[in-house]
Amino acid sequence: MLRAPSAVESVSPVIDGGPPPGQWWRDAVLYQVYIRSFLDSTGDGVGDLAGVRAGLPYLSKLGVDGIWLSPFYPSPQHDHGYDVTDYCAVDGVYGDLAEFDRLVTDTHRLGMRVVIDIVPNHCSSEHLWFRAALASPPNSSARAMFHFADGRGTDGELPPNNWRAMFGGPAWSRVTEADGSPGQWYLHLFTPEQPDLNWRDPRVGHYFEQVLRFWLDRGVDGFRIDVATGLFRHPELPDSPDPEADERTRDSVNPLAWNQPEVHHVWRDWRAICEAYTSRDGRERLLVGEVSVRTAADQARYVRPDELHQAFFFDLLSAPWNADTFRRTIGEALRDIAGTGSTVTWVLNNHDQVRSVTRYGGEAGVFGATRARAAALLMLALPGAAYIYQGEELGLPEVVDLPDEALTDPIFRRTGSRRYVRDGCRVPLPWSGHASPFGFTEEGSTAQPWLPQPAWFAEHTTDRALLDTSSFWHLYRDALSLRARLPQLGEGDLRWLDSPPEVLAFIRGDGLLCTVNFGEEAVPAPLQGTPLLSSAPCPPGVLPGNTAAWWIDTTGVLGSVGEP
Ligand code: NOJ
């Protein structure tokens, strides 16, 4: 029987000229680097590109196939870089283009890919285009790059329609015209500092194609597309049938503001650009979209063969800890998304969501860590690609008690509610030591990490995790190492097995069995002997509660049980 590999034995391949070609993205595991919280090389309390470069050996040892970098473009940081003033440059706080180039080179040398974030739905209110629009009169060509409209009411004092912004408040703000009079309104589906671009103006699309080429020429392997269901609005900007829904759910549900048919043309054009690069050198470039839609079937429309390669599948992330829901969610994704020829892109955490350890723990927090470990093993056994959000491999819980004055998320400012505030999953990573800054920021620097780190981060430092073979880090590393070695994992088929109601069991390929016990009571193990890998210790013959395990079925008996 195969066994989990012993502690740290990973060897990083050094590949001259970058990683090998092929459709690498189909079952790749990428690591999301939220740059400002990863590692600070300059001592200003904010992570940067040189910090990411310094962390590459750590990521290579973990065994991921590549990194997705959160936005590093010049920005006033109202939404931490998702408000861009220049799409072809690096914000001084994160470094410069030369540092970016070094990062790409080093990442490739370690055999990993680099995917960067691109933000086409909106720019910063400090972007030159928007400043020009503000300085220009109504109906000018400068205003046509955005959605400017006259207000309703007797003096235009009411917004042009009833749409609400995702981060609270109306989706419209009124400007003051050059002569000092109250003027038109502009649309922003996030904050007022993020005016929506008007993609019906061909200059916008043309510009973004140049942006893609700029970064592709610098060697990036792909783009994570922010708000990929956005870009176009209903041309007449009519009232929404349910204006409060966007705010209430924080999902893109306004049918007039999101998910318009025209957006698919953009993804086809972008795919063609990527394919042109591939045809030159055989290296596939990836487009992975943030596609928040209601169903897997809706999402499938974004990953048709000539559109995006992948789209994050968020339903697993939002599924409650329950075998039935997980099974249904996984089944729908495999049926609808894999059915397009793409692969499902699984995700349990990102920089916008409460961390899984806290989410699965509920109010009491009792089983959070055990369940998050089990969920990770489940995710990494599923067919397709997966994304790991920094700190997930350390089992970091959400920091739920940041003081109000420390919160920077515009959602807090705009809604006054802490409910959806995202700072708690963005606290700078703990690397070493017993007290803040836990090695995050340069030794001896006086600046504090940009968000305060709690004292209990000491239990989660990377140094500690690497030494403790029972840590989250080792579980992730062992799972990734097995994924790289076992042909059954990654892409391929999944067959459900009959199992007790609180247990999920499926077979991958010829005989890799994954079982997850969602209940609290132990159940009999499906096979004799020790599992290949498990999220918690498994006594002989037993699969404990809240535990996932991988087994190799050498008998071939299980592979033939259950419906295909
Ligand atoms: C989605 C990003 O993940 C989030 O962080 C950002 O605030 C919004 N898009 C707006 O760009």
Side-chain angles (χ1 to χ4, degrees):
M1 171 154 324
L2 281 168
R3 288 191 177 278
S6 61
V8 180
E9 57 167 44
S10 101
V11 181
S12 318
V14 176
I15 302 168
D16 285 329
Q23 293 199 326
W24 58 272
W25 49 270
R26 298 186 71 83
D27 58 4
V29 180
L30 267 70
Y31 183 96
Q32 181 190 353
V33 179
Y34 194 70
I35 302 172
R36 60 189 295 112
S37 301
F38 186 72
L39 186 57
D40 169 22
S41 73
T42 57
D44 63 357
V46 177
D48 45 49
L49 292 176
V52 180
R53 201 152 66 88
L56 289 175
Y58 166 80
L59 298 178
S60 173
K61 194 183 276 186
L62 181 61
V64 291
D65 299 304
I67 54 176
W68 149 29
L69 295 171
S70 56
F72 47 75
Y73 311 106
S75 160
Q77 308 289 339
H78 286 292
D79 189 18
H80 295 319
Y82 288 97
D83 47 329
V84 179
T85 53
D86 182 350
Y87 286 86
C88 295
V90 172
D91 194 304
V93 80
Y94 299 130
D96 55 22
L97 278 174
E99 186 55 49
F100 178 83
D101 292 343
R102 285 192 286 274
L103 175 59
V104 172
T105 304
D106 285 8
T107 313
H108 284 169
R109 276 181 58 75
L110 289 168
M112 297 188 290
R113 320 274 170 166
V114 182
V115 170
I116 64 171
D117 221 306
I118 189 160
V119 189
N121 178 73
H122 46 262
C123 61
S124 161
S125 52
E126 293 181 28
H127 192 287
L128 282 181
W129 288 351
F130 193 69
R131 288 209 205 150
L134 288 183
S136 304
N139 304 319
S140 57
S141 125
R143 287 205 175 173
M145 306 280 277
F146 299 90
H147 297 278
F148 277 84
D150 294 333
R152 298 199 281 202
T154 35
D155 296 313
E157 73 280 12
L158 300 172
N161 70 24
N162 65 0
W163 295 2
R164 308 290 296 170
M166 300 283 289
F167 292 169
W172 295 91
S173 289
R174 196 171 194 188
V175 303
T176 304
E177 302 295 357
D179 63 3
S181 63
Q184 286 195 300
W185 297 72
Y186 70 91
L187 182 69
H188 50 81
L189 286 167
F190 291 91
T191 69
E193 291 82 15
Q194 295 164 295
D196 284 6
L197 288 158
N198 174 18
W199 274 78
R200 294 185 193 280
D201 188 310
R203 290 172 294 176
V204 175
H206 179 72
Y207 172 73
F208 273 95
E209 293 188 7
Q210 306 309 313
V211 172
L212 290 190
R213 292 198 172 89
F214 177 86
W215 294 106
L216 288 168
D217 288 342
R218 299 196 98 87
V220 304
D221 298 285
F223 300 92
R224 175 268 184 187
I225 303 168
D226 191 55
V227 199
T229 53
L231 279 60
F232 288 86
R233 325 283 165 223
H234 187 289
E236 278 141 40
L237 304 172
D239 274 341
S240 164
D242 184 5
E244 305 303 324
D246 266 0
E247 233 175 292
R248 205 169 46 234
T249 66
R250 227 189 73 189
D251 283 331
S252 335
V253 290
N254 177 345
L256 306 159
W258 306 102
N259 204 13
Q260 302 296 298
E262 294 89 336
V263 75
H264 296 280
H265 299 304
V266 177
W267 306 144
R268 288 196 186 101
D269 291 346
W270 286 27
R271 178 75 177 242
I273 291 172
C274 289
E275 303 288 338
Y277 275 79
T278 304
S279 66
R280 275 185 234 155
D281 61 12
R283 275 176 53 212
E284 284 246 336
R285 273 55 167 206
L286 166 70
L287 297 174
V288 53
E290 185 200 23
V291 176
S292 301
V293 281
R294 282 172 195 267
T295 64
D298 287 339
Q299 187 172 97
R301 293 172 47 244
Y302 285 79
V303 292
R304 289 176 287 196
D306 59 346
E307 297 199 33
L308 304 179
H309 300 80
Q310 294 181 327
F312 296 115
F313 183 69
F314 293 124
D315 292 10
L316 195 67
L317 185 158
S318 49
W321 185 251
N322 164 308
D324 273 351
T325 317
F326 267 65
R327 181 176 168 140
R328 183 174 34 77
T329 308
I330 293 166
E332 285 171 3
L334 292 175
R335 186 194 62 211
D336 294 332
I337 296 168
T340 61
S342 178
T343 53
V344 185
T345 304
W346 308 101
V347 43
L348 292 171
N349 288 280
N350 67 29
H351 65 294
D352 293 331
Q353 303 292 338
V354 173
R355 285 187 178 275
S356 52
V357 167
T358 304
R359 229 170 45 229
Y360 295 135
E363 292 284 299
V366 190
F367 296 117
T370 353
R371 289 176 180 167
R373 289 173 65 96
L377 219 49
L378 166 63
M379 174 177 81
L380 293 173
L382 293 172
Y387 281 67
I388 297 172
Y389 172 51
Q390 68 182 35
E392 180 179 334
E393 81 286 9
L394 300 174
L396 273 189
E398 184 86 357
V399 181
V400 291
D401 53 0
L402 288 167
D404 282 3
E405 59 278 12
L407 299 178
T408 65
D409 188 343
I411 292 180
F412 181 61
R413 191 166 33 88
R414 307 238 352 125
T415 64
S417 156
R418 297 180 66 104
R419 182 147 175 239
Y420 292 124
V421 165
R422 301 165 295 173
D423 294 283
C425 63
R426 299 174 177 180
V427 177
L429 286 190
W431 292 86
S432 57
H434 302 285
S436 182
F438 297 111
F440 164 72
T441 199
E442 234 193 8
E443 187 91 3
S445 71
T446 47
Q448 299 299 310
W450 68 279
L451 281 172
Q453 299 164 303
W456 51 262
F457 261 32
E459 291 158 36
H460 297 275
T461 60
T462 60
D463 274 5
R464 209 168 148 159
L466 283 157
L467 288 175
D468 173 6
T469 53
S470 68
S471 68
F472 265 78
W473 192 87
H474 279 273
L475 179 72
Y476 273 81
R477 195 200 76 112
D478 290 351
L480 292 173
S481 158
L482 285 169
R483 254 179 93 99
R485 286 190 284 137
L486 293 179
Q488 294 95 332
L489 292 168
E491 220 186 332
D493 61 342
L494 174 152
R495 292 193 307 131
W496 295 108
L497 300 180
D498 289 338
S499 54
E502 69 281 16
V503 174
L504 279 195
F506 57 85
I507 290 270
R508 297 294 322 281
D510 61 345
L512 188 125
L513 169 67
C514 175
T515 48
V516 189
N517 182 359
F518 283 77
E520 283 170 29
E521 303 302 323
V523 295
L527 292 169
Q528 295 300 314
T530 320
L532 193 58
L533 184 62
S534 59
S535 62
C538 290
V542 165
L543 180 63
N546 294 308
T547 299
W550 293 357
W551 319 73
I552 287 287
D553 173 24
T554 45
T555 63
V557 173
L558 289 173
S560 58
V561 184
E563 77 272 21

